[in-house]
Amino acid sequence: MLQPKNKRMTRQRKVILEELLKQNAHPSADEIYQMVRRRMPRISLGTVYRNLEVLANMGKIQKLELSGALKRYDWDTNKHYHIRCVCCDRVDDAPIAPLNQLENDLYGATVFEIIGHNLEFTGLCPECSKKAAPNHAE
Amino acid sequence: MLQPKNKRMTRQRKVILEELLKQNAHPSADEIYQMVRRRMPRISLGTVYRNLEVLANMGKIQKLELSGALKRYDWDTNKHYHIRCVCCDRVDDAPIAPLNQLENDLYGATVFEIIGHNLEFTGLCPECSKKAAPNHAE
DNA sequence: CTACATGCAAATGCTTTGCAACCTA
DNA sequence: TAGGTTGCAAAGCATTTGCATGTAG
């Protein structure tokens, strides 16, 4: 949580960011570790975790607050929602605009000082949908 | 995940449910364990986890899919949203009606078969709000 | 009776951290 | 050169699981 203020752009930091930028998916820390490892075999998982945290704090990437067990990372720092497959945990962007007025609806109705909100859809991706209903009479 | 079909109402199961029903908050498994332990000192944490899972599958309670590290449990099985304090992790119900039309907006726009959605607000509870801005000139 | 449950302890899996060596600005 | 950073390994923590014993129906 406590981090130095003066951040360096180390080789590791740069490669982690580069690899994440290539992704359309929303990889987990370990998946990013596997990708980075192809270019830097000696990098450690701990370094990946530390750098993802730093990059998120720098605002260069977004740490997704999703309901699954693993944390996931997104190079797209714009506000947007996600949809997660309940079966295989695949995460896509949800094609829906941000609900900007939502937080106003809560204003005055709660004792909390509202900071933000997060919306997540759950569903079945095409692959798992097929698997779940193999004898589905269309 | 795989569970027997014929569920029994054991002493442990009953006490866990009773204690959860008393709560206005949304306790974690360990918090429930602590509460139940006062009445059944020899109950194990594993039993609490197993029973919370069973009770959720029976539809008697709700397992919250929130973004925090811990899973939380709610006796209110009706669809509703929550607001979480980013500072102390306190979770309250969000005073806002379910957005039933939301999933329709996605229909046809995604390759996913939509199952549901979850909306979570983040904010500061009154206590943490005070702590965060002690010299706030109102 | 017997299939389901429990208590206990060990195992799991993701994430964090202490530390000495190593770089980057 | 100083302070941030790394690799490695160990620790942390929530949650799950194997197994022998106990119990509800």
Side-chain angles (χ1 to χ4, degrees):
Chain A
M1 212 103 225
L2 284 194
Q3 290 192 355
K5 334 102 240 314
N6 303 312
K7 302 287 160 47
R8 295 175 183 170
M9 189 45 69
T10 60
R11 218 158 66 77
Q12 288 82 342
R13 200 106 94 201
K14 198 150 78 146
V15 171
I16 288 170
L17 184 54
E18 283 173 5
E19 290 298 319
L20 184 53
L21 289 177
K22 288 185 195 169
Q23 296 297 313
N24 290 315
H26 304 75
S28 64
D30 193 69
E31 286 167 344
I32 294 170
Y33 173 55
Q34 300 305 337
M35 305 182 322
V36 170
R37 209 140 73 118
R38 288 189 218 116
R39 294 175 54 183
M40 309 182 81
R42 295 193 59 84
I43 198 173
S44 75
L45 224 204
T47 297
V48 171
Y49 272 104
R50 275 184 292 228
N51 277 319
L52 287 171
E53 195 64 31
V54 170
L55 289 168
N57 287 341
M58 292 168 80
K60 295 213 176 279
I61 65 173
Q62 191 176 171
K63 178 159 39 163
L64 301 190
E65 297 289 340
L66 302 182
S67 57
L70 286 73
K71 288 188 185 98
R72 294 175 171 279
Y73 298 87
D74 194 339
W75 50 262
D76 185 353
T77 53
N78 293 309
K79 175 85 191 156
H80 63 288
Y81 306 126
H82 297 94
I83 179 166
R84 184 171 54 84
C85 178
V86 295
C87 175
C88 71
D89 240 48
R90 166 179 161 187
V91 174
D92 276 27
D93 290 340
I96 189 176
L99 305 172
N100 297 315
Q101 86 298 345
L102 259 186
E103 292 162 27
N104 298 333
D105 297 354
L106 237 70
Y107 195 80
T110 173
V111 292
F112 278 61
E113 194 179 305
I114 304 161
I115 292 177
H117 72 275
N118 183 40
L119 175 59
E120 183 193 346
F121 293 89
T122 52
L124 282 175
C125 71
E127 288 71 32
C128 291
S129 188
K130 252 173 258 163
K131 265 181 279 174
N135 47 7
H136 181 50
E138 195 69 59
Chain B
M1 211 104 229
L2 286 194
Q3 289 191 356
K5 336 95 248 307
N6 303 311
K7 303 286 161 44
R8 294 175 184 169
M9 189 45 69
T10 60
R11 219 158 66 78
Q12 288 83 342
R13 201 108 94 200
K14 200 150 79 146
V15 171
I16 289 170
L17 184 54
E18 283 172 7
E19 289 299 319
L20 184 53
L21 289 176
K22 288 186 195 166
Q23 296 299 311
N24 290 315
H26 303 74
S28 64
D30 193 69
E31 286 167 345
I32 293 170
Y33 172 54
Q34 300 305 336
M35 304 181 322
V36 170
R37 210 139 74 117
R38 286 189 220 118
R39 294 175 55 183
M40 308 182 81
R42 296 193 58 83
I43 196 172
S44 73
L45 224 204
T47 296
V48 172
Y49 272 105
R50 274 184 292 228
N51 277 319
L52 288 171
E53 194 64 30
V54 169
L55 290 168
N57 288 342
M58 291 168 80
K60 295 215 177 278
I61 65 173
Q62 190 175 174
K63 175 154 51 156
L64 301 189
E65 298 287 342
L66 302 182
S67 58
L70 286 72
K71 290 191 183 94
R72 293 175 172 281
Y73 298 86
D74 193 339
W75 50 263
D76 184 355
T77 53
N78 294 309
K79 175 83 191 159
H80 63 288
Y81 305 125
H82 297 93
I83 179 165
R84 184 172 53 84
C85 178
V86 295
C87 176
C88 71
D89 239 48
R90 164 178 162 188
V91 174
D92 275 28
D93 290 339
I96 188 176
L99 306 172
N100 297 314
Q101 83 301 343
L102 258 186
E103 291 162 27
N104 299 332
D105 297 352
L106 237 70
Y107 195 80
T110 173
V111 292
F112 279 61
E113 194 179 306
I114 304 159
I115 292 176
H117 72 274
N118 184 39
L119 174 60
E120 183 192 347
F121 293 90
T122 52
L124 282 175
C125 72
E127 288 73 31
C128 292
S129 187
K130 253 174 255 160
K131 266 182 277 172
N135 47 6
H136 179 52
E138 193 66 58

